[in-house]
Amino acid sequence: MSNMEKHLFNLKFATKELQRNSKKCDKEEKAEKAKVKQAIQKGNMETAKIHAENAIRHKHQSINFLRMSARVDAVSSRVQTAVTMNQVSKSMSGVVKSMDATLKSMNLEKISALMDKFETQFETLDVQTAQMEDTMGNTTTLTTPQNEVDTLLHEMADEAGLDLNLELPSGQISSLASSVASTEQDELSQRLSRLRDQVS
């Protein structure tokens, strides 16, 4: 196996590893949601809010891992083509030298920077990454959208059969639902959905 083929294997492995991390975040999100419900039932709203924030953070992290998995997969396909057609340039070979450690780190910012370098080696890309780029900026942020936290608290309270008297602006939940619905229609979401189906 040549060096480039070894790096290609590592790219494919990283794609699966990112998908696994996404699923792990999904499980952690579900666990936090259960804790939200328990805390609400006990009347401990401060604890419920903390678990709701954790759940939302895990949800966003799961999406980010899945997006990066799709991006690494796209770059992997381009590298595969380059290897097959013997079009591996010196500059591309240079980029892959630092690749292994970066992929193993599972650090989304570092992997994103690495993918940037790879993508500059290709004149045309099979996958548009601009949409993904917009959402990768907040990969490492610990803040969670307050309206999502409030909405989740209400959802868990509904499931628990309790009424919450939180200060929630009217129309916020419906507007959030409609924005989520419209987002699900976009092309990227459909691609990610298919990808998630493949690994489940």
Side-chain angles (χ1 to χ4, degrees), residues 46-83:
E46 202 52 43
T47 302
K49 186 177 177 184
I50 290 167
H51 287 305
E53 287 173 353
N54 288 341
I56 298 297
R57 193 167 66 248
H58 285 309
K59 176 185 173 185
H60 285 274
Q61 193 70 344
S62 170
I63 292 167
N64 282 334
F65 274 125
L66 203 58
R67 276 200 180 95
M68 187 52 76
S69 173
R71 193 174 171 201
V72 172
D73 188 48
V75 168
S76 170
S77 296
R78 298 291 297 176
V79 173
Q80 174 79 67
T81 302
V83 169

Side-chain angles (χ1 to χ4, degrees), residues 86-190:
N86 289 322
Q87 290 178 340
V88 179
S89 63
K90 285 182 182 177
S91 53
M92 194 188 297
S93 298
V95 172
V96 299
K97 284 181 182 176
S98 62
M99 188 177 83
D100 295 352
T102 302
L103 291 176
K104 281 176 187 168
S105 75
M106 283 291 119
N107 180 314
L108 292 180
E109 261 186 39
K110 287 182 181 176
I111 296 174
S112 182
L114 180 70
M115 294 303 103
D116 287 342
K117 288 181 184 175
F118 261 117
E119 286 160 4
T120 58
Q121 306 302 319
F122 308 123
E123 287 183 7
T124 56
L125 285 175
D126 295 332
V127 175
Q128 291 293 327
T129 58
Q131 285 175 297
M132 298 179 196
E133 279 302 316
D134 291 341
T135 54
M136 288 313 297
N138 64 353
T139 295
T140 55
T141 183
L142 293 178
T143 58
T144 51
Q146 190 56 47
N147 62 339
E148 290 190 47
V149 173
D150 291 340
T151 302
L152 178 58
L153 286 169
H154 277 280
E155 282 175 11
M156 293 298 104
D158 286 344
E159 286 184 25
L162 298 170
D163 184 34
L164 278 190
N165 292 317
L166 284 183
E167 292 295 318
L168 193 66
S170 62
Q172 196 174 70
I173 294 178
S174 60
S175 66
L176 181 69
S178 63
S179 68
V180 168
S182 64
T183 303
E184 285 174 352
Q185 296 304 312
D186 73 55
E187 208 173 356
L188 179 62
S189 293
Q190 290 172 13

